[in-house]
Amino acid sequence: MRSSARTTAIATLAAAIGMPSLLAACHSGAPATLASAATGANSASRVYVPPGQKDEFYAFFSGGFSGQVSVYGLPSGRLLKVIPVFSQDPQEGWGYDEETKPMLQTSFGFVPWDDAHHPELSQTNGVPNGKWLFINGNNTPRIARIDLAQFKTEEILQIPNSAGNHSSPFTTPDGKYVVAGTRFSVPVPNRDTAIASYAQAFKGTLTFVRADEPGKMAIAFQILVPGFDYDLGHAGKGVSDGWFFFTTYNTEQAHTKLEVNASQNDKDFIAAIDYRRAEACVAAGKGTTMPASYDHNVIDDHSNTAHVERKTSVTVLDPSRCDGLMYFLPTPKSPHGVDVDPSGEYIVGNGKLSAVIAVHSFTKMQQAIASKSFDKVVDGIPVLKYESVLAGEVKSSGLGPLHTEFDGKGYAYTSFFISSEIVKWKLGTWEVVDRTPTYYAIGHLMIPGGDSRAPFGKYVVALNKITKDRYLPTGPIMDQSAQLYDISGPKMQLLLDFPTIGEPHYAQALPASLIHSVKFNTLTDNTNPWAAKTEADGGISRQGKVVHIKMAAIRSHFSPDNIEGITVGDTVYFHLTNIEQDWDIVHGFAVLGNTDAAELILAPGETRTLKWVPRASGVYPFYCTDFCSALHQEMQGYVRVSPAGSTVALSATIGDHAVGGDRMAGMHPAVAAGAAHAAGGHQ
Ligand code: K7E
Ligand code: CUA
């Protein structure tokens, strides 16, 4: 193919299925009017959640290049919360305060950002259980676990020998593993290598991560696979339980101009992995231990402090040493999503340059393996014959299929990026029964529980790349958006548009009733060594050029509230504890001119630490950033900073009482010795 091969191919496909000017049409404003006419008062009442009432579903949207997760109510489309995950977040101080900074540590150093694509709810027996949400970091390969009792990121595991953690973190139905397949193949282990030696020297890895115990995510094994791009994955379920499926593209093994050079093959592959076989081979000692360097970061619930554990090795399994581990299913054409229907029988390949959706049969796959119905063998991995695994093709169904979800009633819904639509089709007969436009350029779509064994159904959400013409223009960057469709009847019906934060690659949703408790930590549970559990617990201590200030926050003051004796050249740590025990009282903390962190925001009972390096002498106010009470504006204090070498004594004012130096015994043991402290009345 020539340089414009893909565009030409798309145009040819468009003509073939009677959709002229598709590329233009999907971004034009014309259909919007039609859509407006199709919705109306009836739709409004179906998304209306009266004030004081709650949404039926919680939906978790990936933030794409925002690196975070946002939580929306459905059907209202109301944004409830942004959960910081991979990116520093000033609103919560995430990745800025001393307690959470370690969460963003990697073997590359501190990485304050990522590109998050796939939220994945934890499952029991193939159904979301409301415990945790996993999400991938695509750019610096990582998987995060968010605790849904607190809507808080508690654990991040880095993935070594990976370079673009895109096919991740899809779960097995029993919740034992989440996976991480590398989008970009690289030398394994990564080392100085000529890029032109790609086909010989570059490898992919498919990583299985134990994920069934909080705080203990760990790589069970990595399967070393040919140097393709591993795009997406899904576990088998029901009849196909124990298998995992990954899409590949660039089976051409091109390393330049992939747009053309990786679009040559008529079919790429879905890789089918028998992961119980992998477990058996590893147990039989067929894996090898490879040196690797990657971080496992966990927040301790009681001290609210993250710790980094550097890991140094990983178990790698070569398929050539493990018969029956892996097969390739030919699939047209640069497939993107691979989706398994609720029964587990059908494996849907969404060939993004294809006009048909190829659906494979797990039963036929088993038969083809048994009868050795192989086309060829690639790098020792049998390629099954397309015809012998194919269940059916969904034809004339649109252009650019990306992702498919299921309603649990025998229907599948596929997103088509190029023709910008959702197509509903019937499992088994492969007939298209409905189609509806999206505005515009849909990526993933999402049905609550739509990739599980028992979809909750009711709605499908389109996650769109462009919002042109749907909102007031906000500048040259066209933001992304979501659209909600009712799927309870035979025809999809557009109910609602709502904007999203970042590119909402994918989302998952579950009934609100499955989110059980909202946890908060009591002060007695707080094991942070810097916690000030009472106002009188506050204090100040110096260790050379480092000054620690232990401070309690309570309506509506800090204790201590005036600090003197800091000098230019000092590094100051403010350790703040919110000693409130009413679950909804939050305090914040910020200090003038701080170049080292954002604010702190403190849940009741919680301790957080802000680093501050004053650069010039003067008096610096600090204040509470959260409007916590009628006297919130009075919740303030001062730090006096003197020139280097000043003899101003270190002092802090604590409440109404003068307190002596012995109170420093309450300080962290590491700094108690030699600490100076003075106090006087205030208020
Ligand atoms: Cu299709 Cu990263 Cu899942 Cu976006 S990916 S669309
Ligand atoms: Cu505490 Cu405002």
Side-chain angles (χ1 to χ4, degrees):
M1 281 204 242
R2 294 284 158 263
S3 61
S4 60
R6 192 169 104 172
T7 318
T8 310
I10 287 164
T12 310
L13 287 168
I17 63 168
M19 291 182 158
S21 311
L22 265 170
L23 289 167
C26 72
H27 291 174
S28 91
T33 325
L34 298 174
S36 309
T39 57
N42 179 275
S43 309
S45 66
R46 279 143 77 189
V47 301
Y48 182 67
V49 178
Q53 292 192 26
K54 290 172 186 153
D55 276 288
E56 184 180 357
F57 293 97
Y58 275 109
F60 301 91
F61 284 58
S62 68
F65 38 75
S66 89
Q68 319 294 47
V69 164
S70 42
V71 187
Y72 289 82
L74 296 181
S76 72
R78 295 181 297 188
L79 174 65
L80 305 178
K81 184 176 173 63
V82 174
I83 306 172
V85 186
F86 294 115
S87 297
Q88 281 180 302
D89 177 60
Q91 183 180 340
E92 294 201 12
W94 177 257
Y96 287 104
D97 62 46
E98 297 304 301
E99 283 75 15
T100 58
K101 269 186 196 169
M103 289 300 281
L104 305 183
Q105 276 301 330
T106 72
S107 62
F108 299 97
F110 183 76
V111 178
W113 169 87
D114 216 311
D115 181 17
H117 285 216
H118 305 120
E120 179 82 347
L121 290 160
S122 56
Q123 297 188 352
T124 304
N125 295 326
V127 180
N129 57 23
K131 277 199 209 163
W132 308 312
L133 182 79
F134 298 94
I135 189 161
N136 64 321
N138 188 48
N139 184 60
T140 302
R142 287 175 283 179
I143 295 174
R145 183 181 57 81
I146 295 162
D147 177 17
L148 293 182
Q150 306 180 80
F151 285 34
K152 175 175 154 190
T153 304
E154 286 202 321
E155 185 173 9
I156 294 180
L157 178 70
Q158 191 184 350
I159 310 294
N161 296 328
S162 173
N165 183 33
H166 194 258
S167 30
S168 180
F170 306 100
T171 185
T172 54
D174 58 4
K176 183 172 181 182
Y177 297 113
V178 294
V179 299
T182 187
R183 174 171 161 208
F184 308 113
S185 283
V186 285
V188 176
N190 209 337
R191 59 198 180 275
D192 177 27
T193 307
I195 295 165
S197 68
Y198 181 101
Q200 303 79 49
F202 287 39
K203 285 287 192 182
T205 52
L206 304 174
T207 305
F208 284 71
V209 174
R210 275 304 285 263
D212 44 359
E213 262 195 273
K216 296 192 174 159
M217 272 165 51
I219 294 173
F221 50 85
Q222 296 193 302
I223 303 171
L224 200 61
V225 287
F228 309 150
D229 291 53
Y230 294 81
D231 206 13
L232 282 153
H234 259 112
K237 51 170 95 78
V239 290
S240 54
D241 186 49
W243 287 75
F244 224 104
F245 304 95
F246 293 90
T247 46
T248 69
Y249 63 98
N250 193 24
T251 54
E252 296 85 349
Q253 297 192 288
H255 61 274
T256 177
K257 281 200 100 172
L258 263 63
E259 174 184 21
V260 175
N261 295 328
S263 303
Q264 304 292 308
N265 289 349
D266 184 46
K267 295 188 177 62
D268 297 279
F269 303 131
I270 289 173
I273 307 281
D274 180 348
Y275 64 84
R276 302 240 162 85
R277 182 83 193 113
E279 289 174 335
C281 286
V282 169
K286 295 190 174 158
T288 49
T289 303
M290 186 184 272
S293 181
Y294 58 104
D295 286 350
H296 180 216
N297 311 331
V298 182
I299 289 197
D300 174 81
D301 224 13
H302 298 293
S303 65
N304 186 44
T305 304
H307 296 285
V308 179
E309 189 190 351
R310 172 62 51 85
K311 303 278 190 174
T312 55
S313 72
V314 73
T315 301
V316 175
L317 185 61
D318 187 327
S320 68
R321 300 193 62 206
C322 185
D323 257 10
L325 169 67
M326 182 171 177
Y327 299 90
F328 285 135
L329 284 57
T331 304
K333 172 151 201 182
S334 300
H336 186 54
V338 52
D339 300 290
V340 180
D341 86 302
S343 75
E345 169 62 12
Y346 296 123
I347 301 139
V348 181
N350 304 269
K352 60 186 186 283
L353 300 179
S354 170
V356 302
I357 304 168
V359 184
H360 300 303
S361 153
F362 180 74
T363 308
K364 289 181 78 175
M365 185 191 101
Q366 293 288 69
Q367 290 160 357
I369 292 170
S371 64
K372 296 200 171 0
S373 178
F374 303 153
D375 237 358
K376 54 183 170 182
V377 173
V378 171
D379 282 14
I381 297 156
V383 180
L384 304 174
K385 282 195 166 47
Y386 182 64
E387 300 72 29
S388 57
V389 293
L390 189 72
E393 289 177 338
V394 183
K395 295 216 167 82
S396 297
S397 48
L399 263 185
L402 291 186
H403 298 282
T404 298
E405 296 239 313
F406 307 91
D407 65 0
K409 297 174 180 166
Y411 295 98
Y413 296 72
T414 300
S415 58
F416 285 79
F417 174 76
I418 300 170
S419 52
S420 194
E421 59 181 336
I422 298 173
V423 171
K424 176 182 178 182
W425 49 277
K426 195 164 167 44
L427 287 159
T429 70
W430 324 120
E431 65 189 306
V432 171
V433 297
D434 190 23
R435 64 199 317 144
T436 189
T438 64
Y439 306 95
Y440 306 95
I442 183 174
H444 278 265
L445 43 61
M446 179 273 282
I447 293 171
D451 75 339
S452 77
R453 286 193 69 186
F456 306 106
K458 202 158 178 179
Y459 302 107
V460 65
V461 177
L463 304 161
N464 301 321
K465 306 301 187 193
I466 297 184
T467 57
K468 192 179 166 188
D469 301 330
R470 305 301 282 189
Y471 304 95
L472 290 171
T474 54
I477 293 177
M478 286 185 268
D479 282 319
Q480 298 78 21
S481 74
Q483 294 182 288
L484 180 79
Y485 299 77
D486 188 322
I487 57 167
S488 53
K491 297 284 177 196
M492 291 175 269
Q493 193 182 351
L494 177 59
L495 300 180
L496 183 71
D497 284 9
F498 58 97
T500 60
I501 292 178
E503 186 178 345
H505 282 270
Y506 184 44
Q508 289 211 333
L510 78 179
S513 57
L514 286 179
I515 306 272
H516 290 300
S517 57
V518 173
K519 193 161 78 177
F520 102 89
N521 291 325
T522 63
L523 210 48
T524 32
D525 279 347
N526 183 337
T527 59
N528 190 304
W530 294 106
K533 299 207 176 182
T534 63
E535 293 184 53
D537 241 5
I540 186 166
S541 68
R542 171 183 289 283
Q543 263 201 322
K545 292 274 183 203
V546 175
V547 177
H548 291 276
I549 301 164
K550 232 165 73 163
M551 206 180 267
I554 187 162
R555 282 162 287 177
S556 297
H557 58 274
F558 295 105
S559 173
D561 70 348
N562 281 339
I563 314 287
E564 299 200 359
I566 309 289
T567 61
V568 174
D570 286 344
T571 296
V572 180
Y573 291 96
F574 294 96
H575 307 281
L576 268 290
T577 303
N578 178 355
I579 63 172
E580 306 274 358
Q581 290 289 266
D582 292 328
W583 73 274
D584 58 350
I585 301 294
V586 169
H587 295 290
F589 180 86
V591 61
L592 170 67
N594 189 7
T595 57
D596 298 284
E599 62 166 354
L600 300 173
I601 204 83
L602 301 145
E606 190 172 72
T607 301
R608 290 182 181 267
T609 299
L610 182 133
K611 181 182 174 188
W612 183 54
V613 182
R615 318 274 160 177
S617 53
V619 175
Y620 295 78
F622 54 82
Y623 72 103
C624 172
T625 51
D626 186 290
F627 207 107
C628 52
S629 70
L631 293 172
H632 153 81
Q633 288 296 83
E634 281 69 15
M635 197 163 171
Q636 65 174 61
Y638 291 104
V639 188
R640 175 182 172 189
V641 177
S642 305
S646 155
T647 55
V648 175
L650 199 63
S651 71
T653 54
I654 308 261
D656 296 326
H657 310 288
V659 287
D662 59 322
R663 288 198 55 268
M664 296 318 294
M667 297 295 289
H668 189 264
V671 296
H677 180 244
H682 82 303
Q683 290 177 340

